[in-house]
């Protein structure tokens, strides 16, 4: 990819990035640094995704910037404690979260079917209402089976998810083109107004370009926008900024979510 092509792709990718800090040892100082990083000389990222305990801090730091505050519930294991999930969601929204990333109870889904997953997604969506977007993390690397990924995508979309997301970034297999294609095809069939978020292991502009090409192929050019497509890929910003600053590639050998 030549310099001009990399720059054009970087400009497309930048506003689709959700910068993420879900490290167990995260701190208010780390969230402040992440918030500052989200405002680049070339424009802001779509959102930052942080632990619920830091939502109020980030909201104050990012007020008026256009950067959304996303947080996680039921994370990362996707348990079935409905009361705990609803309490987490309610508190996060009260603290100012713009987006809620809910982990599908994927183990229960694979073993027992969709009953609990449907109830959880529907209930969290009701709490979100018009106040927050709901992203449902399918943990596709753990579901593994194509039919299960397709079924989970359909369930999430039917129960009101605004986005379906591949992964928590906390398992061995995260975003893959195969899973993203299945998810995009479900969106095309059931809910063209819903979005997708490939997460985990996307580190270079070339990686990002493959997923955008896939979205263009399945959904048509012009579909991708911050309301329909996100990357959960903090390391990706390094390569985006390198391209925009004319410094070549910065992320080819980086690791991280």
């Amino acid at each position: 990819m030549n310099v001009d092509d990399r720059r054009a792709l970087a400009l497309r990718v930048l506003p689709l990035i959700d910068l993420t800090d879900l490290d167990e040892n995260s701190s208010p100082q780390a969230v402040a640094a992440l918030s500052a990083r989200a405002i680049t000389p070339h424009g802001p990222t779509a959102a930052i995704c942080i632990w619920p305990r830091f939502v109020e801090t980030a909201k104050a730091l990012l007020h008026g910037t256009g950067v959304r505050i996303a947080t996680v519930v039921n994370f990362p294991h996707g348990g079935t404690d409905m009361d705990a999930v609803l309490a987490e969601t309610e508190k996060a929204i009260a603290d100012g979260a713009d987006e809620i990333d809910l982990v599908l109870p994927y183990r229960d889904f694979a073993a027992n079917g969709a009953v609990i997953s449907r109830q959880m997604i529907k209930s969290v969506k009701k709490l979100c209402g018009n106040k927050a977007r709901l992203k449902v993390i399918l943990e596709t690397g753990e579901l593994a089976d194509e039919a299960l990924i397709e079924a989970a995508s359909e369930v999430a979309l039917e129960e009101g998810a605004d986005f379906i997301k591949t992964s928590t970034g906390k398992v061995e297999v995260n975003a893959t083109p195969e899973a993203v294609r299945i998810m995009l095809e479900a969106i095309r069939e059931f809910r063209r107004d819903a979005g997708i978020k490939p997460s985990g292991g996307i580190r270079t502009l070339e990686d990002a370009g493959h997923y955008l090409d896939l979205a263009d192929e399945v959904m048509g050019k012009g579909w991708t926008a911050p309301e329909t497509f996100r990357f959960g890929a903090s390391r990706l910003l390094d390569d985006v900024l390198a391209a925009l600053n004319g410094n070549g590639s910065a992320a080819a050998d980086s690791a991280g979510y």
Side-chain angles (χ1 to χ4, degrees):
M1 195 184 304
N2 65 38
V3 171
D4 289 341
D5 288 344
R6 281 182 58 80
R7 180 176 175 80
L9 179 57
L11 287 170
R12 185 180 178 190
V13 169
L14 175 61
L16 307 179
I17 294 175
D18 287 0
L19 285 182
T20 302
D21 182 354
L22 294 170
D23 191 289
E24 291 292 342
N25 299 316
S26 188
S27 65
Q29 292 77 16
V31 170
L34 191 75
S35 299
R37 195 165 174 246
I39 308 297
T40 83
H42 307 281
T45 65
I48 64 167
C49 187
I50 53 176
W51 291 109
R53 63 185 179 272
F54 300 123
V55 167
E56 284 186 300
T57 298
K59 196 71 177 177
L61 290 168
L62 289 169
H63 178 73
T65 66
V67 177
R68 303 160 183 86
I69 311 298
T71 194
V72 291
V73 298
N74 205 22
F75 189 91
H77 301 300
T80 57
D81 186 338
M82 185 78 67
D83 290 342
V85 170
L86 295 179
E88 281 184 309
T89 303
E90 193 166 27
K91 176 71 162 60
I93 293 171
D95 287 347
D98 301 300
E99 300 178 351
I100 300 295
D101 288 24
L102 165 72
V103 184
L104 179 87
Y106 58 90
R107 293 186 183 90
D108 178 79
F109 184 89
N112 303 313
V115 173
I116 287 176
S117 293
R118 283 190 182 277
Q119 184 182 0
M120 185 173 288
I121 297 165
K122 185 175 184 177
S123 298
V124 172
K125 176 61 178 178
K126 185 176 180 180
L127 277 181
C128 287
N130 295 321
K131 295 172 287 190
R133 278 194 184 92
L134 173 61
K135 303 196 201 85
V136 177
I137 305 171
L138 306 183
E139 203 66 290
T140 55
E142 295 294 289
L143 290 176
D145 181 77
E146 290 186 2
L148 276 178
I149 295 169
E150 182 179 4
S153 299
E154 292 173 12
V155 165
L157 294 168
E158 287 168 0
E159 297 304 334
D162 298 295
F163 274 76
I164 47 177
K165 177 176 170 181
T166 59
S167 330
T168 59
K170 301 291 188 181
V171 295
E172 186 174 344
V173 177
N174 294 290
T176 65
E178 294 78 15
V180 169
R181 178 178 289 278
I182 292 167
M183 294 162 70
L184 283 166
E185 289 174 348
I187 290 168
R188 182 182 62 192
E189 183 170 351
F190 291 98
R191 287 265 313 281
R192 285 190 66 92
D193 62 327
I196 191 167
K197 180 176 173 179
S199 298
I202 303 163
R203 302 182 184 106
T204 69
L205 275 173
E206 287 74 17
D207 292 339
H210 291 319
Y211 286 107
L212 289 173
D213 288 345
L214 191 52
D216 289 346
E217 176 193 335
V218 176
M219 301 301 297
K221 290 188 176 180
W223 179 79
T224 58
E227 279 61 42
T228 56
F229 196 101
R230 303 284 183 81
F231 289 109
S234 292
R235 298 287 185 182
L236 178 58
L237 183 60
D238 294 334
D239 209 26
V240 165
L241 293 178
L244 293 175
N245 294 330
N247 296 329
S249 177
D253 59 354
S254 295
Y257 178 60

